Each structure stands twice: as C-alpha cells, then as structure tokens.
Amino acid sequence: MSTRHEPTLTLIHQPLTSLEPKTPHWKWSRIPLLAIAMLMLIPLLRVHASVTTNFEQLSPYTGPSLKLDTLTFLCSSNHVASGGYWGSNPKVEQGGWIKAEPATSQWRITLNPDAPSAEVIRLSGLSKPPDDPEIYTLEVTPSGGFLLVWKERLRGFAPQVITIDPANSSFVYSTQHTNPFRNRGSVFWGTCIPYL
C-alpha cells in the first residue's frame, strides 16, 4: 500500500512555485514612469472638476472713494473673465476663464451730466484703440454709481457697458458678441482715478 501512494506523497511535498507568495521587488527605474503618469492625470482631474463643479474666486477689495471734483477719470484693468462658446460646427466647446492680461487696458472717461452722456477713449490694451472717442449714455444709479451704455453702436458691433462705483473707485467694462467662431461675453474689472 505504501508503494502505491509513494508517487502521490512525493508530489505533495514538492514546492509549487506558481502558488508560493513572491517577495515584491521594487524597481527604481519605474519611479519616473509613475511620476509622468501622475502628472498626466492632473489636467484630466482639472477638466473633470471644471465640468462637474461651480467655480468662484473672490478676494477682499477696499478702494478709496472717487473724488468728483473732476468729471474725467482714468480707469485701468488687466483682469478679464470670459465665458461662452468657442469654435464652429461641428466642434464647439463651452466654458470660461479668468486671467490677468499681459497689457493693462485703460479708458479715459469724461462725464457730461448736462447731456447726460460720457465720452470714452480707450488709450491702451491688447488691441488697437479707436481713433475717435465713443459716446455713451450716462445714467446715475440709485446707489450713486454711473451706468454707461455705448450709444453709437453700429449694426453688427458688440455692445459695450461700463459701470463705475464712486464709493470705492471700482470699474467694470463688459461686452459680448457672436460670430462664426464664438458666442461669448467678456468682463474687465479694475479701478478709476481722477485724470489730471
């Protein structure tokens, strides 16, 4: 009887290498590959986060009151936000961004309460300023702010709106338009000082 089971016993006592736990061998050469893979995941996570969550960026602001002993102001901004749709069919993307521009845009604004209107000249920025001043309607809001709307807009041109709050010298310029490549709105914000 023992001779019949001997081959079986021999097989049982042989080590089965495929079932034995292997000791892990860390290969240091894989670290750069792991780092590259992690860096590639970051943009994907950012895109996922921007699609699935709302984004809000607020920071404290305190500005001096704007002295109204002059009616001409220099308003400056290098902060811009833009949102809407980019591209043309069949590839259209939606979204938005906030950034600081490399060049500061400046507007010289002269209020004329008698008309009531405002003369606006864009002095600088990323695009070429117009040669002639633009005329805006002027409205004083219930809080004492100024609301300016581009009065002489020609058909096909983007509307332009400017608001100024003399209580803290804040300035906001906005425009929006649609064309074959985009349907978006842009907002610049900054501050105003008396233009001397």
Side-chain angles (χ1 to χ4, degrees), residues 76-138:
S76 304
S77 170
N78 71 334
H79 301 291
V80 62
S82 189
Y85 300 85
W86 285 264
S88 58
N89 286 332
K91 186 177 179 183
V92 176
E93 297 177 310
Q94 65 176 332
W97 44 259
I98 298 174
K99 67 179 181 180
E101 292 207 304
T104 299
S105 297
Q106 293 185 313
W107 294 260
R108 188 180 76 199
I109 299 173
T110 302
L111 304 179
N112 181 1
D114 298 329
S117 65
E119 183 181 274
V120 178
I121 299 175
R122 186 163 35 90
L123 300 175
S124 60
L126 291 177
S127 57
K128 180 184 178 295
D131 296 325
D132 298 322
E134 297 171 333
I135 304 302
Y136 285 64
T137 60
L138 169 63

Side-chain angles (χ1 to χ4, degrees), residues 11-23:
L11 285 175
I12 289 174
H13 291 293
Q14 286 180 348
L16 298 175
T17 54
S18 62
L19 297 178
E20 286 183 350
K22 295 183 180 178
T23 56

Side-chain angles (χ1 to χ4, degrees), residues 119-182:
E119 183 181 274
V120 178
I121 299 175
R122 186 163 35 90
L123 300 175
S124 60
L126 291 177
S127 57
K128 180 184 178 295
D131 296 325
D132 298 322
E134 297 171 333
I135 304 302
Y136 285 64
T137 60
L138 169 63
E139 178 182 328
V140 179
T141 67
S143 65
F146 305 127
L147 171 64
L148 287 68
V149 179
W150 190 22
K151 183 178 183 180
E152 301 173 325
R153 185 184 73 85
L154 300 174
R155 183 180 177 88
F157 281 72
Q160 300 174 81
V161 177
I162 294 172
T163 53
I164 300 171
D165 186 352
N168 59 19
S169 301
S170 62
F171 161 83
V172 177
Y173 166 91
S174 64
T175 183
Q176 70 182 70
H177 207 318
T178 182
N179 62 39
F181 305 105
R182 67 182 63 93

